[in-house]
Amino acid sequence: ERCERLLQDVPPTRSLRASVISALAGLRAMRGDFDEARRLQAEARAIWQELGQRFRVALRSLITADIELLADRPGEATAVLRWAYSELLAMGAQSAIPPLSAFLADALCEEGEFEEAERFATQAKEQATPIDVVAQTMWRIALSRATGDAALAQQAVSLAEDTDSPDLQARAYAAAGDFERARRAYESKGNIAAASRLLARQTASS
C-alpha cells in the first residue's frame, strides 16, 4: 500500500518510479502474484537500462531471482544471479559481490547443486566484510545447507535475530530446521508464497 501511494503522490521521476515498482514487484511475489511481479520488475529493469544504470540493473536482479524462487523456479533464479554476478564482477563492484555470491549459493542449494553452492558460499565467506550482516548470514545459511553443518545454521540464526528482517530470520530458521519459527517469520512479513513453499519443503522432509 505504501508503494502504491508513493506512485500516486510523489513526483514521477523515472528513476524513482523504477525503484518503487521494483520493491512492489518483490512484495507482489510474496503474495503469490508472480505474473504481476515479473511485469513490474521488467518495467523497472527497462527504465534503469534506458537511464544507463547498469549497476542498479545487476544489483536489483536479487529481486528478479527472489520472484523466481518464490514461484518455485530455482533454475531461472540461478541463471539471473549468475548473470548479475558476472556483470558486477566486470564492473569491479567488489562490495556487492559477497552478498550476491551468498544468495547465488543459496539458490543453487534449491537446485540441489551443493558442490557449486559450497564454492560460492565459501567465496562469500572469504570476501564479506564483518559489518555486512546480510552476506555474513546468507553465506552461513547456504554453506550449512550445502554441507549439513548445523553449527553454521545456528550462527546464522544468531546473526539474523539481531536484524529487523523477518525474511532473513526465516531463512536462517529454516536452515536450522526450525520450520515453525521460519513460518511465523515469513507470515509476519506477509510472505505467503515463502510460507507455502516452506510447508511443502517441511512435508517432503517428514
Side-chain angles (χ1 to χ4, degrees):
E1 290 174 356
R2 290 180 64 191
C3 288
E4 296 285 6
R5 287 198 303 271
L6 281 170
L7 291 175
Q8 293 175 4
D9 300 340
V10 177
T13 65
R14 297 177 73 207
S15 181
L16 178 58
R17 176 175 175 79
S19 294
V20 174
I21 64 174
S22 179
L24 187 57
L27 295 168
R28 290 293 186 202
M30 290 181 189
R31 306 292 288 182
D33 192 352
F34 303 122
D35 289 341
E36 177 65 2
R38 292 185 184 105
R39 186 193 69 77
L40 289 166
Q41 185 66 357
E43 182 183 345
R45 181 187 178 96
I47 292 171
W48 287 323
Q49 287 176 327
E50 290 170 9
L51 295 175
Q53 295 182 355
R54 182 182 170 201
F55 176 78
R56 186 65 63 86
V57 172
L59 190 61
R60 293 301 283 265
S61 291
L62 285 166
I63 292 180
T64 308
D66 204 38
I67 292 168
E68 298 306 332
L69 282 173
L70 291 172
D72 201 24
R73 295 171 48 165
E76 285 76 4
T78 55
V80 167
L81 292 173
R82 288 180 197 279
W83 173 86
Y85 175 86
S86 298
E87 284 289 293
L88 292 170
L89 199 63
M91 290 180 224
Q94 294 301 319
S95 65
I97 294 295
L100 196 133
S101 297
F103 278 104
L104 174 54
D106 194 53
L108 285 163
C109 287
E110 292 291 320
E111 282 197 286
E113 299 291 343
F114 298 116
E115 185 174 340
E116 190 176 12
E118 183 176 355
R119 179 166 64 84
F120 276 103
T122 300
Q123 177 180 307
K125 173 185 177 181
E126 293 170 349
Q127 296 180 355
T129 62
I131 63 171
D132 189 343
V133 67
V134 173
Q136 292 288 353
T137 304
M138 285 303 303
W139 75 251
R140 285 173 168 84
I141 290 171
L143 197 55
S144 72
R145 295 183 67 190
T147 64
D149 189 333
L152 282 175
Q154 289 301 324
Q155 291 174 21
V157 168
S158 296
L159 287 169
E161 287 183 334
D162 285 337
T163 75
D164 61 356
S165 171
D167 190 79
L168 194 63
Q169 292 164 10
R171 287 172 183 258
Y173 292 143
D178 193 338
F179 293 111
E180 179 59 27
R181 277 205 293 178
R183 181 188 60 78
R184 291 200 303 267
Y186 277 134
E187 289 178 350
S188 75
K189 176 69 175 178
N191 196 340
I192 307 305
S196 296
R197 290 188 75 244
L198 187 68
L199 180 61
R201 177 175 159 190
Q202 184 179 6
T203 302
S205 65
S206 62

